[in-house]
Amino acid sequence: MRPIILDCDPGHDDAVAIMLALGNPAIDVRAITTVGGNHVVDKITANALGVLAACHDSSTPVYKGAAKPLMRPVEVAETIHGETGLGGVDLPSPLREIETDNAVSAIIRLVMESNPGELTLVATGPLTNIALAARVEPRIVERLREVVVMGGAISGGNWSACAEFNIHVDPEAAAIVFDEPWPVTMVGLDLTHQALATAQVEEKIRALDTALGSFTLDLLAFFRETYRDVEGFDDPPVHDPCTIAYLIDPTIVETIPAPVSVEWRGELTRGMTVVDRRAQAAQAHTRVATRLDHERFFDLVVEAISTLSHRKDNAHV
Ligand code: RIB
Ligand code: CA
C-alpha cells in the first residue's frame, strides 16, 4: 500500500485521478486537499466532494486550501474545465462536509503524525499548498517518502509556449517545491500527452455499464470537446491519474533522474521547468517521467471505475 495525500484542483483529469486512487487497492488515500487552479478554490472543493460522492466514498476527508497563488493573480482554466470547473456532469450531493482544518495545516499534521518515509504527497494542481506546508513546517521535507507532481514539461507548454498550467499559475510555489531536497517526481506534459482517452478507451468504460462509468464518459465528453476546440487535440490527455499509475506500478510510467529548476523571474519564460538532462543527472533529487504504457495505464483506470461502481457508500464516516 502507498498511503498518499492527494492535493488537487478538480478538474476533469483530477476527478479521474481521484477515482484511480480510490479504486486501486495499492493506494490508501489518507486525505484530499484542494487548491485554486482549474477554477476558484470554492468550486474546486465542491467538485472534490461531488466526485467522492459519485465514487460512493463518505470516508475520505477533504480539506480546503489556498485560494490564491503566493504572488500571482488568480488564473483559472475555464476554457478547458468549464464555468463550474467540472463541466459536463451534474454532481451528486456530498456525502460529507469539508473538514474545518485548512489544507496546509492538515498536510503538516498528517505528515508529522505519520512514520518517516510512510506518506507520499501527490500534487495535481498548482503547488501553493505544498510550498506553504514546506515553509511552515520544514520537517515534512525529510519525513515524506516522495512528492509526485503533475506539472511542468521537459520541453514545451500548454498555458504558454514554455509553461504548463499548474507551474505557470504559481511559479514561485513550484520553485520552492522543486528546490527542497525531498525526492520529487515530475510527471509533465511529455508523459501526460501520451495519456490520450481514445474512443477505444471510452468503449471499455461504456462496456462497464455502470453509473460511475457513465459519469466518467460525460466528463470525458466535455473534456474531449474543449481539448479539441481549444488545443486542437483529437483525444483529450488525461494528465493527473498518470501520477497515481506511477505509484501503483512504476513500470507503467518510466522516469529518468534529472535536475529540475523553475523559472519564476522571466517574463516570457515564467513557469518554465528547466530540466537538465546532462551527465550529472544521476545525483539529482528529482526525476522526470518520459514514457507511458498507454494500454496498461487505461486498464488500471477502467478497473478502478469498475471496482468503485460496485462499492456502496462506506458505512463509516
Ligand atoms: O496542465 C494540465 C494540468 O493543469 C492538469 O493537472 C489539469 O487538471 C490542470 O490542473
Ligand atoms: Ca489538475
Side-chain angles (χ1 to χ4, degrees):
M1 288 289 266
R2 283 297 290 261
I4 69 167
I5 296 170
L6 176 57
D7 188 78
C8 56
D9 63 337
H12 292 71
D13 50 331
D14 304 77
V16 181
I18 291 171
M19 291 179 204
L20 180 54
L22 292 176
N24 188 285
I27 304 291
D28 172 15
V29 182
R30 298 282 176 82
I32 284 177
T33 53
T34 63
V35 63
N38 284 322
H39 219 295
V40 295
V41 72
D42 285 342
K43 290 186 177 180
I44 294 301
T45 307
N47 292 342
L49 291 170
V51 171
L52 286 172
C55 297
H56 306 299
D57 184 299
S58 58
S59 63
T60 303
V62 177
Y63 301 89
K64 186 170 89 168
K68 295 182 180 177
L70 297 183
M71 298 292 289
R72 309 285 175 154
V74 171
E75 195 169 355
V76 299
E78 191 164 303
T79 53
I80 297 291
H81 296 277
E83 60 94 21
T84 66
L86 206 57
V89 288
D90 293 322
L91 289 171
S93 302
L95 298 178
R96 63 184 291 137
E97 300 294 314
I98 66 165
E99 306 302 310
T100 52
D101 212 355
N102 69 71
V104 176
S105 303
I107 289 168
I108 292 169
R109 175 174 51 79
L110 291 168
V111 175
M112 295 314 291
E113 285 173 355
S114 67
N115 298 315
E118 178 187 1
L119 268 182
T120 296
L121 199 43
V122 180
T124 62
L127 295 171
T128 317
N129 292 339
I130 318 303
L132 288 168
R135 282 289 183 267
V136 170
E137 181 44 88
R139 289 180 298 170
I140 68 169
V141 173
E142 78 258 2
R143 203 166 187 89
L144 274 164
R145 176 172 174 176
E146 185 177 9
V147 180
V148 184
V149 173
M150 191 282 133
I154 297 171
S155 65
N158 62 2
W159 212 250
S160 76
C162 56
E164 177 278 326
F165 177 78
N166 288 335
I167 310 300
H168 176 92
V169 165
D170 198 339
E172 286 80 7
I176 288 169
V177 172
F178 279 94
D179 287 352
E180 286 294 336
W182 44 19
V184 181
T185 300
M186 182 183 98
V187 181
L189 297 179
D190 319 87
L191 190 283
T192 66
H193 280 174
Q194 301 172 51
L196 300 175
T198 61
Q200 293 76 9
V201 168
E202 292 181 349
E203 204 33 58
K204 289 179 179 177
I205 297 172
R206 191 168 292 109
L208 294 176
D209 194 22
T210 66
L212 186 60
S214 174
F215 176 85
T216 308
L217 288 172
D218 291 343
L219 278 177
L220 290 176
F222 186 96
F223 204 42
R224 169 182 296 282
E225 192 176 325
T226 57
Y227 249 96
R228 181 194 60 220
D229 296 349
V230 176
E231 299 219 20
F233 277 67
D234 292 335
D235 297 316
V238 192
H239 307 275
D240 294 334
C242 295
T243 59
I244 306 299
Y246 160 73
L247 293 177
I248 294 168
D249 181 349
T251 65
I252 291 179
V253 176
E254 282 179 21
T255 64
I256 58 169
V260 180
S261 306
V262 178
E263 176 55 73
W264 53 273
R265 299 174 185 83
E267 187 177 336
L268 298 177
T269 53
R270 162 210 165 152
M272 180 178 184
T273 46
V274 181
V275 178
D276 186 346
R277 298 181 71 172
R278 291 172 301 174
Q280 87 278 17
Q283 290 76 40
H285 71 273
T286 47
R287 300 184 69 86
V288 293
T290 53
R291 198 188 70 78
L292 176 73
D293 184 323
H294 181 277
E295 183 178 359
R296 290 170 64 209
F297 168 65
F298 277 109
D299 283 350
L300 285 180
V301 171
V302 174
E303 205 175 294
I305 295 169
S306 175
T307 301
L308 292 171
S309 296
H310 304 297
R311 180 182 296 174
K312 287 296 157 239
D313 295 358
N314 316 51
H316 61 286
V317 171

